[in-house]
Amino acid sequence: MPVSGRKRAEELRREIRKHDFQYYVLDQPLITDREYDRLYSELVALETADPGLATQDSPTRRVGGEALDAFEKVPHRKPMLSLANSYSPEELAAFDERVRKFLKTESEMVYFCEPKFDGLAIELIYENGELTGALTRGDGTIGENVLSNVRTIRSLPLQLTKTPRLFEVRGEVLMFKRDFLRLNEQQQDAGIVPFANPRNAAAGSIRQLDPRIAASRPLRLFAYAPGAIEGMKFKSQEEFELALAELGLPTTGIADAEQPMEAYIEWATARMKRGEGQGRIPLARLCKGASEAIAYYHFIESVRHDLPFDIDGIVAKVNDYALQEELDFIARNPRWATAAKFKPEQAETWVKDIIVQVGRTGALTPVAVMEPVRVGGVTVTNATLHNQDEIDRKDVRIGDRVLVQRAGDVIPEIVHVALDKRPADARPFRIPDQCPVCRSPAMKAEGEVVLRCTNPVCPAILKESLKHFVARRAMNVERLGDRLIETLVDEGLVKSFSDLYRLTKDDLLTLDRQGEKSVANLLESIEASRKTTLPRFIFALGIRFVGEQTAKSLAKAFGTIETLIEVEEEALLAVEDIGPKVAASLLSAFSNKALRHEIKALRKLGVEFEKPKKRDGGSSKLVGKRFVITGTLPIGRDEVKDLIEANGGQVLSGVSKKTDFLLAGDDAGSKLQKAAGFGVSIIDWDGLQDLLR
Ligand code: IVH
């Protein structure tokens, strides 16, 4: 029986919502990006063909309408207040004492503790289950309705799984650190001043009047507090947060309070250090008394940098809502909650020099070289200054005393100059309009703030391009490190990508520190890299705006590199996720004679493309690994089992602590929860291919 368009559209919407939840909330994708895109495109096609099929809450309607002139001002039903801040764990003991004194009780209080997210507070308003408003805090009484932007946050349901009359929930909009770094790279590539930190990036995105901008930013939200609610009742913060997850709203998950505090901390720390981030490790926990709350504070502080997002402390809330009511508010702060912040990770140091680095795209980036200083457990010596505008805005001079911090906990940056400590001989700095390496003129493209070296064969650009070319996700030349690349270029042995494949044993033996053995290994790994895939090769070329995903789309659309370098704009624009900017960059790259020549030379030197491997003849890549399979996979169960066993792995039927991987296909069932509970790694079909590669 053919499925009606309406039915199929509904099915697709349900599927896409499920996968959004798996990906953004649970951090456990069940399908590949490509499979997701396929579902999404099918829905877009159905809804475009028959607009009557589209619903308000369709995943395709996250960006609705045009840019606004201004945000509407809307009063909060319940005032949106903030917490008193303290900066030390001892303050938690003082807070506990205040609470018990006020309640006139000797007995131990139970606190609901969770991380204090470093983002932007937002109130979501769901009416009869439908997201109808999203307000900023504003002055606490009146906020601005930023719904058009908040709707674009893919981890947020537009429709709850239940339909209470009114459900207001407060949470924090933020950006994951890795998403922030990628966004900043793109900003920089596009010649736009990057954001100082994830919080600014998130807040800046929410304040945009054009929802398409917010839609292009990787925003997330964690929910943590109730606003006005009608049609549902909660006895405690724990009950409220459990309900959030049930309603489909993202939280950090609640740890099992039956597990003793110490065991929880040990368990969670180990997992966190192994890089199994949020989504799999519950971060909120009930704490008994001040002592557990303090232990929780130290625990969260110790794993702070392993979390995928920025936090700046913990929040402790009296768990029982009846007690919260009794405790009430004092001035504008609740008496039932407190925020214990972590010490800010900033430090003062001296700027010894400002140097200019040349990147792969020729961009000249000024970098402050500082007296080494410890910030957040890491010794910092360099801080990027981004561009001249940034240097001028912060008025950083050589010799200045500056305050540094690690933005998004990763890249060090200068917060401000301590002007009162500026030495008389501090020297202002101007980026030269000449490449510091090859002395060619440097220029700004129209509308850009970044200066770029104009010499296509600049050795600095060549070095950076080569580093990208050989990178693991590109041509994957395992033995060729950054140092060696610099030497090869400096010695004139490599002047282009293709020169790598012309290197001989005799060439390499002339270099310092290169013996017979290391030369043989290097040549072997260069040799091995000749066999690659088309997406990797396209990515390796390092064309501006062409990341891995775009490279994959191009490979899929055009099939061969020879076709790709001849395509016209129209054909490029017809490819999904290729816009005018990327198309222009590709056309300009492929009209460059030198690059065309390089591509042909590489092919002549034996660079060839295989189809990404589907089946492996047999290896020992999975030896000692125990797998459990669930859901529907692209090939039959038995074939999957054969494949795993042919590579040395073992396939078992039930999930246990001893399982290494749960291989989850479509419509995976209860095994998923079970595996997550045991901390078992969950992989999809592509994940298995990665293991076999
Ligand atoms: S509960 C009455 N929980 O920090 C306020 N707030 O000043 C109850 N924040 O306004 C707030 N993470 O913007 C709460 N897990 C969390 C939080 C959190 C971040 C923010 C929020 C709040 C401010 C405290």
Side-chain angles (χ1 to χ4, degrees), residues 80-85 114-122 137 170-172 224-225 241 312 315 317 329 332-334 336-337 339:
M80 216 170 146
L81 304 175
S82 61
L83 300 175
N85 286 326
E114 63 185 330
K116 184 173 184 311
F117 306 102
D118 194 8
L120 172 78
I122 291 285
R137 184 204 310 277
R170 285 137 191 208
E172 205 86 352
Y224 52 67
E241 297 225 4
D312 56 354
V315 178
K317 311 167 191 180
F329 288 80
R332 299 181 61 77
N333 301 127
W336 43 263

Side-chain angles (χ1 to χ4, degrees), residues 390-673:
E390 183 84 355
I391 298 179
D392 296 345
R393 196 172 59 74
K394 289 186 176 160
D395 189 20
V396 180
R397 305 186 186 183
I398 299 170
D400 267 339
R401 183 86 178 154
V402 292
L403 186 69
V404 285
Q405 72 179 11
R406 284 163 68 218
D409 280 336
V410 191
I411 7 166
E413 62 155 11
I414 291 177
V415 185
H416 61 69
V417 175
L419 285 176
D420 53 332
K421 294 178 190 154
R422 171 170 282 168
D425 62 350
R427 277 181 298 134
F429 180 82
R430 279 213 73 76
I431 304 177
D433 49 13
Q434 215 183 36
C435 171
V437 176
C438 72
R439 305 286 157 206
S440 305
M443 292 210 285
K444 279 184 204 176
E446 225 182 276
E448 292 197 353
V449 292
V450 178
L451 275 166
R452 287 177 205 278
C453 171
T454 52
N455 173 10
V457 291
C458 168
I461 300 180
L462 177 61
K463 284 178 188 173
E464 295 310 311
S465 305
L466 282 165
K467 288 176 196 170
H468 174 77
F469 186 77
V470 305
R472 196 170 60 82
R473 310 193 71 96
M475 296 299 280
N476 191 23
V477 185
E478 284 173 357
R479 303 272 174 167
L480 196 46
D482 289 0
R483 269 272 193 74
L484 192 50
I485 286 181
E486 305 211 345
T487 314
L488 289 169
V489 174
D490 291 340
E491 296 294 320
L493 286 172
V494 172
K495 297 195 175 68
S496 64
F497 297 149
S498 57
D499 278 349
L500 289 176
Y501 296 97
R502 298 191 183 94
L503 286 170
T504 64
K505 188 173 154 191
D506 292 341
D507 287 339
L508 293 167
L509 282 172
T510 62
L511 302 176
D512 271 355
R513 286 191 306 261
Q514 292 295 325
E516 290 274 345
K517 180 99 184 115
S518 57
V519 165
N521 284 339
L522 175 59
L523 285 171
E524 198 178 305
S525 76
I526 293 176
E527 179 61 37
S529 75
R530 276 184 232 253
K531 265 203 183 15
T532 184
T533 64
L534 185 55
R536 279 174 172 272
F537 182 76
I538 297 170
F539 175 59
L541 295 175
I543 298 164
R544 264 182 100 192
F545 309 125
V546 179
E548 274 183 285
Q549 200 49 48
T550 309
K552 280 184 195 160
S553 308
L554 289 167
K556 195 169 129 200
F558 301 108
T560 70
I561 188 71
E562 287 71 20
T563 315
L564 177 61
I565 62 174
E566 303 300 344
V567 293
E568 300 195 345
E569 186 175 10
E570 212 174 318
L572 284 172
L573 289 173
V575 179
E576 216 189 320
D577 60 55
I578 293 193
K581 199 176 69 176
V582 183
S585 171
L586 282 159
L587 291 172
S588 127
F590 294 136
S591 67
N592 178 335
K593 280 217 184 79
L595 184 69
R596 293 174 71 90
H597 182 264
E598 262 304 283
I599 292 171
K600 286 180 186 148
L602 285 162
R603 295 287 272 152
K604 278 212 186 99
L605 286 159
V607 169
E608 56 179 7
F609 313 119
E610 355 174 358
K611 288 257 166 299
K613 263 205 204 96
K614 275 275 176 292
R615 290 214 48 172
D616 218 314
S619 77
S620 51
K621 295 210 167 87
L622 307 179
V623 166
K625 299 282 179 254
R626 296 192 183 85
F627 288 78
V628 172
I629 307 172
T630 183
T632 314
L633 291 159
I635 60 175
R637 275 287 168 92
D638 290 339
E639 281 177 80
V640 180
K641 191 159 179 267
D642 288 347
L643 175 65
I644 290 173
E645 287 170 356
N647 290 284
Q650 219 183 330
V651 178
L652 303 164
S653 57
V655 178
S656 78
K657 265 200 305 229
K658 293 199 182 134
T659 311
D660 294 294
F661 296 101
L662 179 71
L663 172 60
D666 284 351
D667 298 309
S670 61
K671 282 187 182 145
L672 266 182
Q673 269 73 38

